């Protein structure tokens, strides 16, 4: 996906998050984040938006701590969130292509990184807001599907998670002996081979026809896989050694 597409997705996802939060109310519990209420979700996402905006707007060359959100609730908190979301979208759209600032996952450029990361950050937390009772049009506790409702966006998010986040040394998805986990999107030809060992997972995107043997396969439509791999929905379908799927559920959380 291009940077402009990620920014459009970020714009849409932030609006949808605010809508879901208003419908649920900021005191509502968030089933996909059991320790949070909607106010905690909105504060966190709004703080992340302001944190990201500062890197892009000010060109910070090194990490900075994530700020705390304000002690607000209700409409005042939602207005604060919307203001920060709008500032992030506008800042990304105005940023130069040769932006130079800190980032933490491989990307063609810092601008491409921040647009992509914030689009997916917001999409996953929009799903959290929609999981709150009254937050979505569907069944309570069932978040909507991600980003602009497209398969391409979901595939891009799975790429970021498997090839980006879990390639880092902090990934806890490890096995004592080498194993192979396959992730297959059934609504497109995207397949990922994830080699598990005592080292960080080594994932690669492969052609569906050329995928080799695997000890376990997780499969389903890309939008559901996306949220499932972020532990927001149950895994759609699992074949082979289900212990590897359970390992993913227990250890793949990204902090």
């Amino acid at each position: 996906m291009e940077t402009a597409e990620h920014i459009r997705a970020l714009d849409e996802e932030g609006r949808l998050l605010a809508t879901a939060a208003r419908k649920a109310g900021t005191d509502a519990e968030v089933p996909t984040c059991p320790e949070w209420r909607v106010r905690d979700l909105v504060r966190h996402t709004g703080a992340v938006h302001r944190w990201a905006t500062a890197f892009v707007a000010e060109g910070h060359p090194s990490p900075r701590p994530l700020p705390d959100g304000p002690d607000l609730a209700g409409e005042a908190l939602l207005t604060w969130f919307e203001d920060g979301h709008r500032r992030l979208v506008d800042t990304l759209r105005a940023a130069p292509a040769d932006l130079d600032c800190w980032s933490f996952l491989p990307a063609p450029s810092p601008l491409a990184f921040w647009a992509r990361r914030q689009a997916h950050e917001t999409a996953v937390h929009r799903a959290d807001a929609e999981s709150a009772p009254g937050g979505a049009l569907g069944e309570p506790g069932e978040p909507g599907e991600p980003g602009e409702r497209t398969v391409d966006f979901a595939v891009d998010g799975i790429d970021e998670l498997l090839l980006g986040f879990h390639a880092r040394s902090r990934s806890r998805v490890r096995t004592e002996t080498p194993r192979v986990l396959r992730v297959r999107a059934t609504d497109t030809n995207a397949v990922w081979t994830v080699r598990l060992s005592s080292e960080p997972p080594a994932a690669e995107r492969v052609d569906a026809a050329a995928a080799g043997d695997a000890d376990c396969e997780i499969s389903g439509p890309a939008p559901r896989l996306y949220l499932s791999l972020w532990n927001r929905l149950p895994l759609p379908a699992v074949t082979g050694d289900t212990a590897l799927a359970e390992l993913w559920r227990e250890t793949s959380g990204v902090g």
Side-chain angles (χ1 to χ4, degrees):
M1 290 179 64
E2 298 295 327
T3 296
E5 296 175 279
H6 285 125
I7 296 173
R8 284 195 295 272
L10 166 63
D11 191 2
E12 180 191 26
E13 293 294 346
R15 293 171 188 269
L16 290 171
L17 192 160
T19 296
R22 274 196 175 88
K23 288 172 62 179
T26 59
D27 287 338
E29 295 181 349
V30 180
T32 52
C33 299
E35 296 181 0
W36 275 2
R37 294 186 181 269
V38 169
R39 61 176 174 268
D40 303 306
L41 173 67
V42 173
R43 285 173 188 154
H44 167 76
T45 312
V48 170
H49 285 173
R50 284 165 167 77
W51 178 72
T53 298
F55 285 107
V56 176
E58 302 168 22
H60 295 301
S62 58
R64 305 181 87 193
L66 181 68
D68 293 329
D71 187 17
L72 298 172
E75 189 59 30
L77 178 62
L78 292 170
T79 298
W80 171 85
F81 169 82
E82 289 170 324
D83 288 346
H85 169 248
R86 172 50 46 200
R87 192 176 309 122
L88 173 60
V89 170
D90 290 347
T91 298
L92 288 166
R93 283 183 172 150
D98 61 354
L99 169 72
D100 186 16
C101 69
W102 177 76
S103 58
F104 60 87
L105 293 178
S109 69
L111 178 59
F113 163 79
W114 283 110
R116 183 194 206 193
R117 176 80 291 275
Q118 291 309 297
H120 291 297
E121 174 85 11
T122 309
V124 170
H125 288 318
R126 185 268 301 164
D128 290 329
E130 289 187 351
S131 80
L137 295 176
E139 293 297 319
E142 180 79 356
E145 292 179 348
E148 296 190 303
R149 307 307 196 268
T150 70
V151 170
D152 287 347
F153 184 84
V155 168
D156 182 73
I158 296 170
D159 266 344
E160 186 200 42
L161 180 63
L162 297 182
L163 280 65
F165 277 106
H166 284 288
R168 301 187 301 171
S169 61
R170 65 180 63 186
S171 176
R172 298 180 297 115
V173 185
R174 311 286 180 105
T175 55
E176 292 185 3
T177 58
R179 309 297 299 280
V180 176
L181 174 67
R182 177 183 296 125
V183 175
R184 182 187 300 273
T186 56
D187 48 357
T188 184
N189 65 352
V191 176
W192 295 263
T193 295
V194 186
R195 300 188 184 282
L196 303 177
S197 69
S198 59
E199 299 296 320
E204 63 176 334
R205 180 102 158 262
V206 299
D207 185 85
D213 293 336
D215 297 294
C216 175
E217 179 172 294
I218 300 170
S219 62
R224 294 193 68 82
L225 269 180
Y226 173 71
L227 290 181
S228 298
L229 292 170
W230 274 104
N231 294 319
R232 264 54 183 194
L233 289 173
L235 296 171
V238 177
T239 56
D241 186 353
T242 59
L244 289 184
E246 187 60 29
L247 175 73
W248 181 271
R249 299 295 283 182
E250 291 176 352
T251 63
S252 66
V254 173

